[in-house]
Amino acid sequence: MVDKQSIEISCTDGIVLSAALYVPPSKAKAAVMVAPATGIKKTFYNSFAMHLAEQGYGVICFDNRGIGDSNKGPINAHNASLIHWGRLDMTAVLDELMKRFPGTSYHLIGHSAGGQLLGLMENAAKVRSMFNFASSSGSLRNMHYPYKILAAFFLNVFIPMSNLVFGQANCQWVGMGEPLPKAVAKQWSRWCNGAGYVATDFGKAIDDHYYDELKLPSKWLHATDDGIAILENVQDMIRVYSQMPAEIVTLRPEDWGYTEIGHMKFFSSRCQELWPMALDWLEAHRG
């Protein structure tokens, strides 16, 4: 039986993250950090994480600072940003994963932002492989109509106005996850309006990064009914990881008997027929 535990993870700047630890019934084959999409809580990944653990993998899911149970006090109390999520939060989670499951290999399964921010992690070289779903640059310029109109309104009207009036982006009002700290939402908007997402801030807010050094194998899944992670944007994000071998897989909902997969449903138990793709990847790369 999987042993699921609620744990806390301390970052180097003193921020404490809420996380869930999944310990498999026997010694872990390998250990996996499930890195969430922007504004998505760790509970969303529970069924997927349980399945990984049932198959013998140690897992940690977590809430980024300012999100879910890691939102302690005013949402902007610590000026959380996407850069903090990658550089501080994800780094701390990987350190915890290595502490909890010593002597094995470590892997990242990223959802959207979770796969975009690996190159900001100081310990990124410890990750043996990366498997992503719906992870892309989210570049507005590449999006297709009519979704492009909705995305432009969200990024360039809704986020700035919500930040101005409420001091945070109330993304929950438009079905886009949890409320976002002001700096996270502002950065998200700027990066999606640029090219290469995080690369928009290279040489500006980001002086040091590891995107040009990482050579771990990676697999990038996206769905044809996802208006954000379209093929052009997946390719745009992969180019930021300039040395990383990457395989792209395009999922068509109709091929699997689904009405939708979109930007979120891969991790839903309703789409668990897709999960062997992640398990096969881990099995092939756990060493």
Side-chain angles (χ1 to χ4, degrees):
M1 182 179 295
V2 173
D3 179 16
K4 179 185 175 183
Q5 305 171 24
S6 295
I7 63 172
E8 292 186 332
I9 299 174
S10 296
C11 301
T12 55
D13 64 345
I15 299 300
V16 177
L17 306 178
S18 175
L21 174 71
Y22 301 79
V23 182
S26 55
K27 180 177 171 59
K29 296 177 181 179
V32 180
M33 174 171 69
V34 178
T38 304
I40 304 302
K41 296 190 293 185
K42 64 182 181 298
T43 51
F44 177 73
Y45 305 97
N46 180 68
S47 295
F48 178 73
M50 284 292 294
H51 184 69
L52 292 183
E54 288 167 355
Q55 304 306 312
Y57 293 92
V59 184
I60 289 181
C61 299
F62 63 99
D63 290 335
N64 282 305
R65 63 183 65 198
I67 302 298
D69 293 331
S70 294
N71 180 23
K72 300 176 175 67
I75 192 169
N76 292 301
H78 307 289
N79 197 30
S81 69
L82 289 169
I83 295 174
H84 290 143
W85 285 3
R87 183 164 288 161
L88 298 172
D89 296 5
M90 290 175 64
T91 295
V93 173
L94 181 57
D95 281 344
E96 186 71 18
L97 189 72
M98 293 189 290
K99 173 184 171 184
R100 297 281 182 167
F101 302 102
T104 189
S105 60
Y106 307 99
H107 307 264
L108 187 148
I109 293 184
H111 181 200
S112 194
Q116 297 160 349
L117 302 176
L118 172 66
L120 296 177
M121 295 169 57
E122 292 184 359
N123 53 4
K126 301 292 186 181
V127 178
R128 180 171 292 184
S129 79
M130 178 166 66
F131 179 98
N132 291 329
F133 173 72
S135 190
S136 77
S137 68
S139 177
L140 181 61
R141 69 184 69 183
N142 290 333
M143 291 182 190
H144 304 152
Y145 292 102
Y147 189 85
K148 186 173 185 175
I149 298 172
L150 297 174
F153 175 82
F154 174 72
L155 292 169
N156 299 322
V157 179
F158 179 83
I159 283 179
M161 288 299 296
S162 187
N163 272 352
L164 179 64
V165 175
F166 301 103
Q168 64 186 45
N170 289 316
C171 298
Q172 76 279 12
W173 290 353
V174 291
M176 295 290 285
E178 294 291 293
L180 292 180
K182 185 175 183 178
V184 169
K186 184 177 180 180
Q187 212 162 53
W188 190 21
S189 175
R190 185 171 69 254
W191 289 3
C192 288
N193 276 286
Y197 195 67
V198 62
T200 304
D201 264 342
F202 288 176
K204 300 172 186 175
I206 299 172
D207 291 325
D208 299 318
H209 64 82
Y210 307 92
Y211 287 94
D212 294 325
E213 300 175 18
L214 296 174
K215 298 180 181 181
L216 65 153
S218 63
K219 192 165 190 173
W220 303 64
L221 278 63
H222 74 112
T224 55
D225 61 331
D226 183 351
I228 302 169
I230 58 174
L231 179 60
E232 295 92 332
N233 281 344
V234 175
Q235 293 169 330
D236 191 31
M237 191 67 226
I238 289 172
R239 282 191 289 269
V240 180
Y241 291 98
S242 60
Q243 303 298 313
M244 183 182 291
E247 175 187 354
I248 300 174
V249 175
T250 301
L251 301 175
R252 304 179 188 279
E254 59 271 23
D255 292 346
W256 295 86
Y258 300 139
T259 56
E260 65 173 321
I261 298 175
H263 197 69
M264 302 290 293
K265 295 294 179 66
F266 178 89
F267 297 98
S268 167
S269 57
R270 296 180 180 179
C271 290
Q272 61 184 291
E273 292 86 357
L274 301 173
W275 294 354
M277 294 183 184
L279 286 164
D280 289 348
W281 175 264
L282 291 172
E283 191 66 25
H285 293 87
R286 64 185 178 90

